[in-house]
Amino acid sequence: MKPASKASEIERIADTIARAVAEQRLPPGTRLVEAQLVDSLKANRNHVRSALQRLALRRIVSIQPNRGASIAQPSVEEARAVFTARSVIERGVIEILVSGVRKLDISLLKKQRDKEQAAIRNGPREVIIRESGQFHLLLARLAGNAVLEEMLNDLITRSSLIISLYQQHNNPQCGCDEHGNIIQAIEAQDPVKAVQCMSHHLHDIEMHLNLAFWETRTVDFGSVFSEEAESRLL
Amino acid sequence: MKPASKASEIERIADTIARAVAEQRLPPGTRLVEAQLVDSLKANRNHVRSALQRLALRRIVSIQPNRGASIAQPSVEEARAVFTARSVIERGVIEILVSGVRKLDISLLKKQRDKEQAAIRNGPREVIIRESGQFHLLLARLAGNAVLEEMLNDLITRSSLIISLYQQHNNPQCGCDEHGNIIQAIEAQDPVKAVQCMSHHLHDIEMHLNLAFWETRTVDFGSVFSEEAESRLL
DNA sequence: GTAGATTAAATTGTTAACAATGTTGGAGCC
DNA sequence: GGCTCCAACATTGTTAACAATTTAATCTAC
């Protein structure tokens, strides 16, 4: 007897990979060879192929015809677009939550926040990343909108990708408990402040990235192989 | 020589179907038999299957294991979620446009609006629907955010589905040129008003639907087969 | 005639072999 | 040595046959 429905086998594969990406266990650019996946995930090749195509649609992997799939390497432009989109969606989520249309269980948010704080103190990096993402996702879930939740789920995974590509230091997450501030503002039913907190939080994450550095850097062989670059090799 | 790249064959199929759905040539619930699609779209069965799975991911078709695919029939709950999500995203788009970060070519919007007005006067229904969708999509494109644009593209298609399921009369689109109002507000660089116009516009569309009617109606055989329903058969 | 069972057809799901393409490594040549 | 060319390998893409499942039709019993 198979516990999971047969149709969701593809989903299982896709989610396994997506999660590994979200938790930064699969770095951007990693090649995903079908045969390897088939045997490490104990799956049918067709299912693996379908899963890869799904992930390609979600921009988590990129597929080049006849050359296989690999974990995506979002461009700076895409990175900015993702964070802007997150801001748009998450501000919308916050507005829904604060508008008081649904009776909101703040304790769930606090519980998630505690879980995250515990992870920050002594958890491994991937757990920290996961719990942080879960907080944002929980907000969307509490807003009771499956469409926004699903979109945000994708964006969070893509954010992980972006962060592991463009992070400056290996500062896992800012320690300044911005999630706590968001909870406070929601609890206080202050729409303006809550939205501000969220905007600020996302902006903060984006600003800790190296985006500006790579922005204008079209691969410019002239300067790349100048004395400056060469001197670094010594 | 094949003009389109081989990899995008799946995309071609998916887009053909999605477009037919968006223009309401394929009504909700229509069964999509693989063999039929293979031969009417001159395609490989694998490609058709992949395309169907893609569309299932976009919630445009629904696939039931061993029972094939059919055009989705979004629930009332999903319908509301879609419109709320659209509102969130499109308000975000408007804010980006009005914020003046990008120099905006208003004439493109006006041109699209004219196209739409022309369609409303004498075009066939499907063209009206298409051009109306294109207006919203154009806003997202002008905002220069591919992520938001893609999300909105999906939502617009799903909206078409919802509208053909839940529309009250066969009023194709409101004649009151709300798109024109939106353009005006953007042109006047008035963020508050522009966002209001968009909100109002989307709310308007939603309110012209029968959602409330079906909301609580769990299929309740007792009342369905009462004298009222029977009398309608005579 | 209707309910239930049985068979046939239609449809989807799976598999494995084959084809096409891309990649790697080495032999021979300059 | 460095280069080109070619063959072997690895990987992806395609196809067709087969298996499993659902749907429709037919038949029998009552």
Side-chain angles (χ1 to χ4, degrees):
Chain A
M1 179 170 50
K2 301 184 180 181
S5 110
K6 205 184 311 179
S8 63
E9 167 72 352
I10 296 169
E11 209 170 312
R12 195 205 98 216
I13 301 170
D15 282 353
T16 304
I17 297 174
R19 189 162 156 181
V21 170
E23 296 174 9
Q24 302 188 352
R25 298 194 309 266
L26 275 177
T30 308
R31 288 209 53 195
L32 300 172
V33 178
E34 292 177 3
Q36 291 175 8
L37 295 176
V38 163
D39 108 355
S40 71
L41 295 177
K42 307 280 173 58
N44 179 321
R45 184 152 85 105
N46 280 344
H47 293 161
V48 168
R49 300 189 103 225
S50 291
L52 288 176
Q53 284 190 343
R54 275 199 198 187
L55 293 170
L57 212 66
R58 295 167 61 189
R59 310 294 162 120
I60 292 168
V61 318
S62 79
I63 296 181
Q64 294 169 288
N66 288 318
R67 308 188 69 218
S70 51
I71 305 295
Q73 296 177 297
S75 67
V76 172
E77 190 186 357
E78 185 180 336
R80 292 200 189 280
V82 165
F83 277 104
T84 303
R86 268 191 78 162
S87 180
V88 166
I89 287 181
E90 302 216 47
R91 279 185 288 142
V93 165
I94 296 279
E95 274 171 12
I96 293 172
L97 288 177
V98 179
S99 78
V101 178
R102 344 189 88 234
K103 49 177 173 293
L104 179 56
D105 193 351
I106 294 268
S107 73
L108 288 173
L109 286 172
K110 288 182 176 169
K111 204 185 294 179
Q112 178 60 40
R113 200 266 313 261
D114 292 344
K115 220 166 152 187
E116 189 188 347
Q117 290 291 342
I120 289 176
R121 273 192 295 279
N122 52 10
R125 169 193 184 75
E126 57 191 50
V127 175
I128 299 176
I129 296 173
R130 172 165 65 232
E131 296 305 332
S132 170
Q134 285 300 109
F135 177 80
H136 288 261
L137 214 51
L138 179 57
L139 288 171
R141 187 165 309 136
L142 292 177
N145 189 310
V147 176
L148 287 173
E149 187 185 339
E150 199 174 338
M151 287 173 166
L152 186 57
N153 189 28
D154 273 8
L155 292 181
I156 288 173
T157 305
R158 290 168 83 174
S159 296
S160 272
L161 217 50
I162 290 163
I163 291 170
S164 54
L165 254 181
Y166 296 108
Q167 66 189 342
Q168 301 208 21
H169 332 290
N170 50 356
N171 59 345
Q173 214 66 8
C174 70
C176 45
D177 191 27
E178 295 186 342
H179 288 178
N181 296 338
I182 292 172
I183 294 178
Q184 272 189 338
I186 292 175
E187 198 166 13
Q189 304 263 39
D190 185 340
V192 178
K193 187 172 182 188
V195 166
Q196 253 177 3
C197 281
M198 178 57 86
S199 284
H200 178 268
H201 176 43
L202 290 172
H203 189 256
D204 229 44
I205 298 176
E206 189 177 345
M207 283 307 111
H208 277 78
L209 264 36
N210 257 328
L211 296 181
F213 179 77
W214 295 103
E215 184 112 66
T216 51
R217 294 241 167 170
T218 53
V219 221
D220 175 6
F221 294 101
S223 63
V224 168
F225 301 120
S226 65
E227 64 289 344
E228 182 196 357
E230 284 175 14
S231 69
R232 210 172 39 179
L233 293 175
L234 302 180
Chain B
M1 180 171 49
K2 302 183 179 181
S5 114
K6 206 185 308 181
S8 64
E9 168 71 350
I10 296 169
E11 209 171 312
R12 196 205 97 216
I13 301 170
D15 283 353
T16 305
I17 297 174
R19 190 163 155 180
V21 170
E23 296 174 8
Q24 303 187 352
R25 298 193 309 267
L26 275 176
T30 308
R31 291 209 52 194
L32 300 172
V33 178
E34 292 178 3
Q36 291 175 8
L37 294 175
V38 163
D39 118 333
S40 71
L41 295 178
K42 305 282 171 60
N44 179 322
R45 184 153 86 105
N46 280 344
H47 292 160
V48 168
R49 301 188 103 229
S50 291
L52 289 176
Q53 284 190 343
R54 275 200 198 186
L55 293 170
L57 212 67
R58 295 167 62 189
R59 310 293 162 120
I60 293 169
V61 318
S62 78
I63 297 181
Q64 295 168 288
N66 287 318
R67 310 186 69 222
S70 52
I71 305 296
Q73 295 177 297
S75 67
V76 172
E77 189 186 357
E78 185 180 336
R80 292 199 190 281
V82 165
F83 276 104
T84 303
R86 269 191 75 162
S87 180
V88 166
I89 288 181
E90 302 215 48
R91 280 184 289 143
V93 164
I94 294 280
E95 274 171 12
I96 293 172
L97 288 177
V98 178
S99 77
V101 179
R102 347 188 86 234
K103 51 177 171 295
L104 177 57
D105 193 351
I106 295 268
S107 72
L108 288 173
L109 286 172
K110 289 182 175 168
K111 205 185 292 178
Q112 177 60 41
R113 200 267 312 261
D114 292 345
K115 221 167 153 186
E116 189 189 347
Q117 290 290 342
I120 288 176
R121 274 192 295 278
N122 51 10
R125 168 193 185 74
E126 57 189 51
V127 175
I128 298 176
I129 296 173
R130 171 164 68 233
E131 295 305 332
S132 169
Q134 286 299 111
F135 177 81
H136 288 261
L137 214 51
L138 179 57
L139 287 171
R141 186 166 307 136
L142 292 178
N145 188 309
V147 176
L148 288 174
E149 185 184 340
E150 200 174 337
M151 288 174 164
L152 186 57
N153 189 27
D154 272 9
L155 292 181
I156 288 173
T157 305
R158 290 169 82 175
S159 296
S160 272
L161 218 48
I162 290 163
I163 291 170
S164 53
L165 255 180
Y166 296 107
Q167 66 189 342
Q168 301 206 23
H169 332 289
N170 51 355
N171 57 345
Q173 213 69 6
C174 72
C176 45
D177 191 28
E178 295 186 342
H179 289 178
N181 295 338
I182 292 172
I183 295 178
Q184 273 190 336
I186 292 175
E187 198 166 14
Q189 303 263 38
D190 184 341
V192 178
K193 186 172 181 188
V195 167
Q196 253 177 3
C197 281
M198 179 56 86
S199 286
H200 178 267
H201 177 41
L202 291 172
H203 188 258
D204 228 45
I205 298 176
E206 189 176 344
M207 284 307 111
H208 276 76
L209 263 38
N210 258 326
L211 296 182
F213 180 77
W214 295 103
E215 184 112 67
T216 51
R217 293 244 167 167
T218 52
V219 219
D220 175 7
F221 293 102
S223 64
V224 168
F225 301 121
S226 65
E227 64 288 345
E228 183 197 355
E230 285 176 13
S231 70
R232 210 169 41 177
L233 293 175
L234 303 181

